[in-house]
């Protein structure tokens, strides 16, 4: 199985995860194809866009939400007012379908994973995935976190709508049973997330509190040209970024209205590539490209007036001018007190061989 997520967790290299979720149902309806064909189309388009991994959501409405569970999303985009009713629309896939998708991802060379929302799916997904993803909604579901942690695989844990003590308890629970790489994904559990509420400095706070863990970001903002939110998250230290994904951002319902499409993903990846380029290595040394400028822009010790042969050099006879092709000003003490071996004209860039 592809291991891009785990490799990214270990190396710090940027990983973009397309949160397909259950958006393929709407794509299927729009295009007149089966949900499986739509899911595979979304996977294929994600691979072609350069996305590193695709993530689905595996649940059954009856094990996820009570029939009277209220909505918490923008009902102008998704008018369904019951969680149970909404989830029931998108829960027809089971083990066989996810295995087919996992196999298809393996064939295409893009990593597959899915968030399990019940014990049964956590079990059957195990053989299909390298990494478990735990939703923010299950952050305080300690028995379920414990169950998945015992699988002893790397874990991505979203920490939306949580307080510090809740995050700590979840981390301690995982670490009690699991020593694999663990990533905490900052997110805001508001769909879509207004830019005023993104709170990306929480990424820096998580990095400070958990220096041994990987920190990432799960984005729920509406895509905006330039993708400043995701790029800023990356610059603050979020090396794993998960974003909802669709093939049509104009579709009503569920997670299309705050999702990226393949072109958005291409632009995000180009933006991250550019950031990596301009960040450079950070090594404290002169760059190869600076060497000509370094020589010509720096100064040398230069004679101030004519200096006859045999003269003992004093500071008053010297000044400092460009270019830096002679004796460096930092070496002034190696010149003062020496004797001129030749006649030195005014405004001469001094060289070591000019002195006895």
């Amino acid at each position: 199985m592809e291991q891009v997520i785990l490799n990214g967790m270990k190396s710090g290299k940027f990983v973009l995860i397309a949160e397909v979720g259950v958006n393929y149902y709407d794509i299927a309806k729009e295009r007149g194809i089966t949900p499986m064909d739509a899911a595979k189309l979304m996977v294929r388009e994600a691979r072609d866009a350069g996305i590193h991994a695709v993530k689905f959501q595996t649940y059954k409405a009856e094990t996820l939400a009570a029939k009277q569970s209220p909505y918490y999303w923008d009902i102008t985009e998704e008018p369904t007012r019951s969680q149970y009713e909404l989830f029931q629309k998108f829960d027809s896939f089971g083990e066989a379908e996810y295995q087919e998708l996992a196999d298809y991802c393996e064939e295409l060379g893009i990593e597959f994973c899915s968030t399990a929302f019940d014990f049964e799916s956590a079990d059957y997904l195990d053989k299909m995935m390298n990494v478990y993803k735990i939703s923010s909604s299950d952050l305080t579901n300690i028995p379920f976190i414990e169950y998945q942690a015992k699988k002893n695989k790397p874990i991505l844990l979203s920490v939306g709508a949580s307080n510090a003590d809740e995050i700590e308890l979840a981390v301690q629970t995982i670490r009690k049973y699991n020593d694999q790489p663990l990533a905490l994904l900052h997110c805001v559990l508001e769909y879509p997330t207004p830019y005023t509420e993104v709170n990306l400095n929480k990424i820096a706070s998580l990095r400070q509190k958990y220096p041994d863990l990987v920190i990432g970001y799960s984005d729920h903002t509406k895509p905006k040209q330039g993708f400043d939110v995701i790029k800023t998250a990356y610059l603050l230290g979020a090396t794993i970024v998960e974003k909802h994904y669709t093939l049509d951002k104009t579709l009503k319902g569920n997670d299309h209205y705050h999702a990226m499409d393949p072109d958005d993903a291409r632009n995000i990846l180009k933006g991250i590539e550019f950031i990596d380029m301009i960040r450079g290595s950070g090594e404290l040394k002169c760059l190869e490209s600076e060497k000509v400028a370094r020589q010509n822009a720096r100064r040398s010790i230069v004679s101030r007036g004519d200096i006859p042969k045999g003269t003992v050099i004093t500071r008053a006879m010297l000044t400092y001018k460009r270019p830096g092709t002679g004796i460096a000003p930092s070496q002034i003490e190696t010149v003062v007190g020496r004797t001129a071996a030749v006649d030195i004209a005014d405004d001469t860039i001094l060289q070591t061989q000019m002195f006895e």
Side-chain angles (χ1 to χ4, degrees):
M1 291 186 285
E2 294 291 322
Q3 296 195 54
V4 181
I5 298 173
L6 177 57
N7 291 339
M9 293 173 81
K10 290 180 177 179
S11 68
K13 187 176 180 181
F14 181 76
V15 175
L16 180 62
I17 302 173
E19 167 67 288
V20 180
V22 291
N23 277 346
Y24 52 91
Y25 286 95
D26 295 322
I27 298 297
K29 184 177 180 180
E30 178 194 43
R31 303 196 179 195
I33 57 180
T34 67
M36 179 58 73
D37 285 341
K40 288 182 176 180
L41 174 63
M42 294 184 75
V43 169
R44 194 162 61 249
E45 293 274 0
R47 189 279 311 269
D48 292 347
I51 293 169
H52 303 110
V54 288
K55 190 183 78 65
F56 295 83
Q57 295 178 6
T58 302
Y59 57 73
K60 294 296 180 183
E62 62 185 21
T63 63
L64 180 57
K67 290 183 174 60
Q68 300 305 316
S69 52
Y71 71 90
Y72 57 95
W73 46 80
D74 183 349
I75 58 172
T76 65
E77 296 286 354
E78 170 50 72
T80 309
R81 292 175 178 266
S82 158
Q83 292 183 54
Y84 179 84
E85 183 183 345
L86 179 67
F87 297 143
Q88 200 174 37
K89 295 178 182 180
F90 308 115
D91 71 351
S92 67
F93 277 20
E95 180 177 359
E97 288 79 12
Y98 288 110
Q99 184 64 65
E100 185 173 344
L101 284 173
D103 292 342
Y104 187 68
C105 288
E106 180 72 11
E107 179 185 331
L108 292 186
I110 185 170
E111 186 162 2
F112 167 90
C113 62
S114 186
T115 302
F117 284 94
D118 54 56
F119 293 93
E120 180 185 0
S121 60
D123 282 340
Y124 71 64
L125 286 168
D126 185 29
K127 65 180 182 296
M128 307 176 196
M129 311 188 302
N130 300 306
V131 175
Y132 272 86
K133 167 65 195 297
I134 299 176
S135 164
S136 293
S137 61
D138 278 321
L139 185 78
T140 58
N141 189 352
I142 298 302
F144 192 40
I145 290 177
E146 179 180 296
Y147 190 80
Q148 293 179 89
K150 288 179 177 178
K151 303 291 186 182
N152 203 35
K153 285 188 174 181
I155 291 175
L156 309 179
L157 174 66
S158 282
V159 297
S162 61
N163 297 320
D165 60 330
E166 295 170 327
I167 298 171
E168 181 63 20
L169 178 58
V171 170
Q172 288 180 5
T173 300
I174 291 169
R175 281 293 175 243
K176 185 177 179 181
Y177 303 100
N178 186 309
D179 61 359
Q180 297 298 309
L182 170 61
L184 303 181
L185 273 57
H186 163 53
C187 76
V188 178
L189 219 58
E190 186 174 1
Y191 303 86
T193 302
Y195 298 116
T196 55
E197 299 297 320
V198 175
N199 193 24
L200 290 180
N201 276 334
K202 188 174 177 181
I203 293 167
S205 298
L206 288 168
R207 289 186 71 197
Q208 183 175 17
K209 184 171 177 60
Y210 298 101
D212 297 331
L213 303 186
V214 179
I215 305 301
Y217 174 57
S218 182
D219 183 54
H220 296 141
T221 63
K222 286 189 174 182
K224 187 176 183 180
Q225 189 173 10
F227 303 96
D228 292 335
V229 173
I230 289 177
K231 290 191 285 189
T232 301
Y234 178 59
L235 286 169
L236 286 168
T239 54
I240 296 175
V241 170
E242 172 189 274
K243 184 160 182 62
H244 284 272
Y245 166 68
T246 183
L247 300 184
D248 186 350
K249 294 184 289 186
T250 68
L251 283 176
K252 288 284 186 181
N254 213 41
D255 294 319
H256 301 283
Y257 57 92
H258 56 86
M260 66 178 175
D261 63 19
D263 285 339
D264 291 333
R266 290 183 180 92
N267 287 325
I268 289 168
L269 291 167
K270 285 179 183 176
I272 297 299
E273 184 179 7
F274 181 74
I275 287 172
D276 282 341
M277 179 184 71
I278 62 177
R279 285 173 74 171
S281 69
E283 193 174 356
L284 298 178
K285 72 172 190 177
C286 174
L287 299 173
E288 191 66 33
S289 61
E290 295 177 299
K291 287 187 175 179
V292 173
R294 169 190 170 99
Q295 185 176 59
N296 286 287
R298 290 195 172 182
R299 302 195 190 200
S300 299
I301 301 173
V302 174
S303 56
R304 180 187 289 172
D306 294 334
I307 302 175
K309 178 180 178 180
T311 302
V312 177
I313 307 301
T314 66
R315 282 181 178 269
M317 299 174 183
L318 307 174
T319 188
Y320 316 102
K321 296 183 181 182
R322 296 183 181 187
T325 54
I327 301 172
S330 60
Q331 301 300 309
I332 183 69
E333 296 303 330
T334 68
V335 177
V336 173
R338 294 182 68 179
T339 301
V342 295
D343 290 332
I344 302 172
D346 178 39
D347 202 40
T348 296
I349 297 169
L350 301 185
Q351 308 292 335
T352 302
Q353 63 269 26
M354 295 179 179
F355 304 97
E356 293 180 357

